[in-house]
């Protein structure tokens, strides 16, 4: 809480990821705390807005999908992203207990990033199947 509050409105600037407060593992689980301290309220708001746009776009693709299985799969991926974003930001501001869930696409870790990229690849494959073309043979 002290690190997030010390970022104030514009933050302290990029300091080579050397946060001034005592934050355990600030490059993995507590990356949102580091972003809030270095870039302030504006940087934190940009990160949350980008996640909101990602989830909004996933919902849009799930609604446009004509295949029920594709819609259900995208809904599961939306749930995965929304839960992990909510949990990570909630534990950074001490509203939720620390669980060790990474922030999608930002936290350090190869297996979680690979999982998120595979999930987005599945969504893009479903979206590719939605589009109709002018000279389609079917």
């Amino acid at each position: 809480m002290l690190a997030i509050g010390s970022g104030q409105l514009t933050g302290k600037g990029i300091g080579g990821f050397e946060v001034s407060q005592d934050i355990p593992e600030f490059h993995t689980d507590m990356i949102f705390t580091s972003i809030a301290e270095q870039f302030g309220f504006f940087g934190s708001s940009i990160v949350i807005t980008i996640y909101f746009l990602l989830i909004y776009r996933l919902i849009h693709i799930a609604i446009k999908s004509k295949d029920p299985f594709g819609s259900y799969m995208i809904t599961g991926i939306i749930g995965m992203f929304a839960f992990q974003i909510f949990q990570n930001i909630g534990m950074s501001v001490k509203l939720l207990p620390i669980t060790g869930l990474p922030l999608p696409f930002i936290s350090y870790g190869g297996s979680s990033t690979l999982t998120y990229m595979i999930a987005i690849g599945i969504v893009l494959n479903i979206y590719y199947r939605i589009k109709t073309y002018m000279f389609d043979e079917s």
Side-chain angles (χ1 to χ4, degrees), residues 3-4 17 19 23-39 43-44 47 51 84-85 88-89 91-93 101-109:
I4 292 174
F17 287 109
V19 288
I23 301 168
E25 302 299 325
F26 64 89
H27 61 285
T28 57
D29 295 340
M30 297 293 178
I31 192 72
F32 187 76
T33 304
S34 179
I35 291 170
E37 183 177 12
Q38 292 179 6
F39 299 108
S44 303
V47 168
Y51 280 127
Q84 290 188 358
I85 292 166
N88 189 288
I89 293 174
M91 75 179 187
S92 293
V93 297
L101 286 176
L103 193 62
F105 298 114
I106 296 178
S107 291
Y108 178 79

